[in-house]
Amino acid sequence: MPELPEAETIVRGLRGNVVGRRISSTTVIRPDVLDQTPGQFVRAIKGLPISGVSRRGKNVIIELGPSAVLKVNLGMTGGLFPLGRGERNSGVTHPAVRFRFVGGGQLVYNDARRFGRLRVFDQQGWSDWSDRLGPEPLSRDFSDRQFAESLRASRTPIRNWLLDQRRVAGVGNIYASEALFRARVDPRRSARSLSTDEAGALRRAVTEVLQEAVDARGTTIRDYKDADGAAGSFGPRLHVYGREAKPCRACGTAIVRVVFGNRSAFLCPACQPWPEMTARQPA
Ligand SMILES: [Zn+2]
């Protein structure tokens, strides 16, 4: 599933291809990817120019003129493919929505499994929606102080806390597992059990792992490709995610997969010790 780095990579690839283009018509092939009726959706964006492409959390944001915002949540297998006039792309296997541009060319939303969702907002609706998300982890709003205070109020397991988009925007299961490994925190611990030092280490680990993954153009797991159809290169640098039973790159201990909250988490039991166990060990 695309997380922040994969969405950011898609945004950077799209920007040069679609900003300045004006939507002439839209064809909805798979209405189940819309959060609105196809009629509402098509009418709301008809004739609008694409004025910018950005990101909020894991979502690709296509700014339409001064008045509307198209939010694309890529789900498991969603992708956005800009095509020139008459151009084909082998990545377009399951087109769900086609946005055609004045003067030729189009942007295709492709989604094999159709867990992705598209929604058009007016400006007020967009800022209301965006305000409900947590801070952007690559921005200054994501500070040690804000993070530590926010953790202190929650009994939720820290891995689940990181996945909650209202707490921090853009983190999914891959980068939650990786950040917790870097910070040496067991993913099952409650958020409020983290010490101030651990909270600071985790805040920095979240920022660092996401920034490094953005620089590597994301992690390619199964279906994810960026807007140019290229694979991300962060995969070989994962320490725990998807590495069950393989040796920890830091200490050689076998990586363990645990399932809670209906999701897998991966950890090194030596590098991320449960605090009570540590306390019981003789000095
Ligand atoms: Zn280890």
Side-chain angles (χ1 to χ4, degrees):
M1 176 180 292
E3 302 182 28
L4 184 156
E6 293 75 32
E8 180 65 27
T9 302
I10 289 168
V11 163
R12 292 178 182 186
L14 267 184
R15 209 173 263 147
N17 286 299
V18 302
V19 171
R21 305 305 306 271
R22 186 178 292 272
I23 294 170
S24 60
S25 66
T26 303
T27 305
V28 178
I29 302 156
R30 295 291 192 173
D32 54 351
V33 301
L34 303 182
D35 274 343
Q36 290 142 309
T37 69
Q40 285 173 329
F41 183 83
V42 168
R43 272 195 306 278
I45 61 178
K46 186 175 169 53
L48 295 179
I50 297 179
S51 51
V53 182
S54 57
R55 180 187 57 71
R56 181 76 172 103
K58 307 174 191 175
N59 301 279
V60 175
I61 306 305
I62 298 177
E63 296 147 30
L64 295 166
S67 59
V69 173
L70 169 60
K71 171 178 74 79
V72 181
N73 179 319
L74 298 156
M76 299 284 285
T77 55
L80 286 159
F81 295 87
L83 304 178
R85 184 200 295 269
E87 185 187 347
R88 294 186 185 282
N89 185 311
S90 60
V92 179
T93 51
H94 297 79
V97 181
R98 289 183 188 274
F99 305 91
R100 289 190 181 75
F101 297 135
V102 172
Q106 57 181 290
L107 175 65
V108 181
Y109 176 70
N110 187 82
D111 197 343
R113 296 182 66 186
R114 301 203 303 281
F115 290 121
R117 286 295 174 272
L118 281 63
R119 180 168 176 184
V120 180
F121 294 92
D122 61 19
Q123 287 295 344
Q124 186 60 51
W126 167 245
S127 63
D128 291 347
W129 188 88
S130 180
D131 286 350
R132 286 199 285 271
L133 289 193
E136 284 291 330
L138 299 182
S139 79
R140 287 173 187 277
D141 298 340
F142 190 55
S143 66
D144 282 352
R145 186 174 165 188
Q146 180 272 341
F147 187 71
E149 279 174 10
S150 185
L151 289 181
R152 211 166 289 142
S154 175
R155 296 170 193 268
T156 305
I158 184 63
R159 191 281 312 267
N160 299 21
W161 193 98
L162 289 170
L163 297 186
D164 183 345
Q165 301 298 298
R166 296 168 300 182
R167 310 283 196 180
V168 46
V171 179
N173 219 16
I174 297 174
Y175 300 108
S177 277
E178 293 298 310
L180 287 160
F181 171 79
R182 286 191 191 204
R184 305 178 66 94
V185 172
D186 187 305
R188 296 165 291 189
R189 288 175 58 191
S190 75
R192 69 179 194 176
S193 77
L194 271 65
S195 68
T196 305
D197 285 352
E198 287 173 326
L202 181 59
R203 205 283 306 157
R204 286 189 295 280
V206 167
T207 300
E208 283 168 14
V209 75
L210 290 171
Q211 186 59 57
E212 287 170 28
V214 166
D215 293 343
R217 301 167 63 87
T219 303
T220 300
I221 292 179
R222 294 193 294 270
D223 300 295
Y224 159 74
K225 296 268 173 44
D226 70 22
D228 303 323
S233 63
F234 196 72
R237 293 163 62 184
L238 297 174
H239 280 84
V240 288
Y241 185 83
R243 296 193 69 243
E244 184 179 11
K246 292 184 176 152
C248 171
R249 298 189 202 278
C251 76
T253 303
I255 300 299
V256 171
R257 181 173 73 98
V258 291
V259 179
F260 58 98
N262 287 322
R263 304 287 301 272
S264 294
F266 298 87
L267 70 143
C268 170
C271 292
Q272 297 162 271
W274 191 259
E276 282 82 349
M277 282 171 59
T278 315
R280 251 184 264 123
Q281 283 167 352

